[in-house]
Amino acid sequence: MSGKTTIKGNPSQYVKLNVGGCLHYTTIGTLTKHDTMLRAMFSGRMEVLSDSDGWILIDRCGKHFGTILNFLRDGSVSLPETSKELAELLAEAKYYCIAELAESCTKALNKKDKVEQEPKCGVPLITSLKEEELLISSTTKPAIKLLINRHNNKYSYTSASDDNLLKNIELFDKLALWFSARVLFLKDVISTSEICCWVFYGHGKKVSEVCCTSIVYATDKKHTKVECPEARIYEETLNILLYEKSNAPDQDLMQATSTRAAVSGMSYTSDEEEERSGRP
């Protein structure tokens, strides 16, 4: 049998609560500590429903009632991580008229919404050399910069150069999506020193670069040739990850993953490598 009754007792008196099937055991002092609906329920101002075993019945979901009690005890509480659970706790805080907890939940939800709306992958566009130096020196990540300038050219392009220029941009965007959490990606569109060049930085210093342009000679005039050496760019990207979250790259790993002098920051073409190794 269940019935309605009023409860008013010593603050140290314990009461048994059944909140949506979840059982809790706490004192009247905790329930009446703050000016909430629970104070009204357990200070004799409101009738409460109880069963034959003395459990006070509260017709709410009991999932977050433990958090409610902890807030009443301490005045603060660790909030849930997920937006779903935050919204659930907010609903319970509003039901029990716990204004401070409801406000904390609302702020946490607004903050999560703001973070979720921010871009996951941001690539700064370099506007000056000073800005570039500041970005690279202030980040704790390794960095990759693509210098791209379609109009920096005094010779006509070869037939495949425009396509290769686009391939470099597409590859840069793809790598930025994959590694944006681990690497700072920068795009330089104002420099006049190169047409297409990748530069790799570790601990604020230039480690290597891959220049994608060269001059070729035709029968009557010179042409600018743009290439997209994907394998070499992938290799340098993996090498630059060795500078992540460490004081210096692992030399053994650098040697195992690269056939070129990546540690010294020197970059050679395949022809230059053969000349240095003495192969024909």
Side-chain angles (χ1 to χ4, degrees), residues 155-156 158 214-225:
Y155 304 119
S156 60
T158 59
S214 60
I215 302 298
V216 295
Y217 295 86
T219 54
D220 54 342
K221 57 183 177 179
K222 299 177 182 178
H223 295 281
T224 298
K225 182 180 181 181

Side-chain angles (χ1 to χ4, degrees), residues 143-257:
I144 297 175
K145 181 186 76 171
L146 174 62
L147 189 160
I148 192 108
N149 189 348
R150 172 65 174 79
H151 302 289
N152 178 25
N153 183 29
K154 60 182 179 180
Y155 304 119
S156 60
Y157 285 101
T158 59
S159 58
S161 289
D162 282 332
D163 285 342
N164 286 332
L165 203 62
L166 289 175
K167 286 180 181 178
N168 277 283
I169 296 173
E170 290 171 354
L171 179 58
F172 178 84
D173 292 343
K174 186 188 296 183
L175 292 173
L177 288 173
W178 288 350
F179 297 110
S180 60
R182 302 172 61 184
V183 177
L184 172 64
F185 286 85
L186 308 167
K187 191 174 286 188
D188 185 348
V189 295
I190 64 168
S191 177
T192 58
S193 60
E194 294 284 354
I195 296 172
C196 183
C197 183
W198 296 70
V199 188
F200 301 83
Y201 299 88
H203 303 307
K205 297 180 180 180
K206 178 179 173 181
V207 175
S208 60
E209 70 175 33
V210 177
C211 183
C212 302
T213 55
S214 60
I215 302 298
V216 295
Y217 295 86
T219 54
D220 54 342
K221 57 183 177 179
K222 299 177 182 178
H223 295 281
T224 298
K225 182 180 181 181
V226 180
E227 299 175 302
C228 182
E230 289 191 26
R232 192 172 168 195
I233 293 167
Y234 278 123
E235 182 184 357
E236 292 294 353
T237 301
L238 294 177
N239 284 337
I240 210 69
L241 293 177
L242 300 175
Y243 289 83
E244 183 183 21
K245 299 179 182 178
S246 63
N247 293 327
D250 187 317
Q251 301 298 328
D252 292 335
L253 189 55
M254 289 285 285
Q255 186 175 2
T257 56

Side-chain angles (χ1 to χ4, degrees), residues 17-26 30-31 38 58 60-80 88-89 92-93 96 98 101:
L17 305 176
N18 183 340
V19 185
C22 296
L23 305 181
H24 297 271
Y25 200 48
T26 189
T30 294
L31 295 168
L38 290 167
I58 299 179
R60 295 292 295 180
C61 176
K63 178 179 179 181
H64 298 288
F65 194 75
T67 303
I68 297 290
L69 288 179
N70 285 335
F71 183 85
L72 296 178
R73 294 181 183 113
D74 304 326
S76 62
V77 73
S78 297
L79 298 177
E88 293 171 352
L89 181 58
E92 297 306 303
Y96 295 112
I98 309 175
L101 179 58

